[in-house]
Amino acid sequence: MTDSLILRAWQSKDAAQLPDLLAEDATFSSPVADYHGRARAAHLLATIATVLDSVHQTRQWSDGQQRMFAFTARFGDQELQGVLREELAETGSLTHVTLFLRPYRALRAAIAEMTRRLEDSPPPPAA
């Protein structure tokens, strides 16, 4: 099974590697908004790593330069199920990462926590 580059970073809580995984013009599509550019995308993905616990990849699908990964994670005492789509450039860097999470109640609580953390550490301005 191929591991997700992003899920691996979330599992290890090692966000330092995230910028190196992303193309300069990468986009991260969260359940709330799209974030364009390596620095903004990496910042959001790193913040998510601080919010989610017990990230565990459960399945993967691949079709050329697109890969999808099903996973479970915890936020507090709530379990989340998610799908992460990673689109890769020919060079292997990630050009677009899309995150889908459910159920809504747990997602809403995680979004509220992300909002608090982003107020303390806002993403860099859009280029």
Side-chain angles (χ1 to χ4, degrees), residues 47 50-51 75 107-118:
T47 304
T50 70
V51 171
F75 174 70
L107 172 60
R108 191 176 67 217
I111 289 170
E113 181 59 26
M114 280 289 296
T115 300
R116 283 189 285 282
R117 293 184 190 205
L118 291 172

Side-chain angles (χ1 to χ4, degrees), residues 47-65:
T47 304
I48 291 169
T50 70
V51 171
L52 296 181
D53 290 312
S54 303
V55 176
H56 177 72
Q57 182 177 314
T58 57
R59 297 220 29 208
Q60 69 94 21
W61 303 265
S62 181
D63 181 18
Q65 299 303 106

Side-chain angles (χ1 to χ4, degrees), residues 61-99:
W61 303 265
S62 181
D63 181 18
Q65 299 303 106
Q66 292 193 44
R67 304 182 307 185
M68 294 185 70
F69 302 92
F71 68 97
T72 59
R74 298 205 61 80
F75 174 70
D77 63 350
Q78 301 179 74
E79 183 173 271
L80 291 149
Q81 298 89 39
V83 173
L84 192 71
R85 186 182 73 194
E86 297 177 351
E87 296 178 35
L88 294 103
E90 293 293 326
T91 61
S93 61
L94 293 166
T95 59
H96 197 156
V97 177
T98 306
L99 175 63

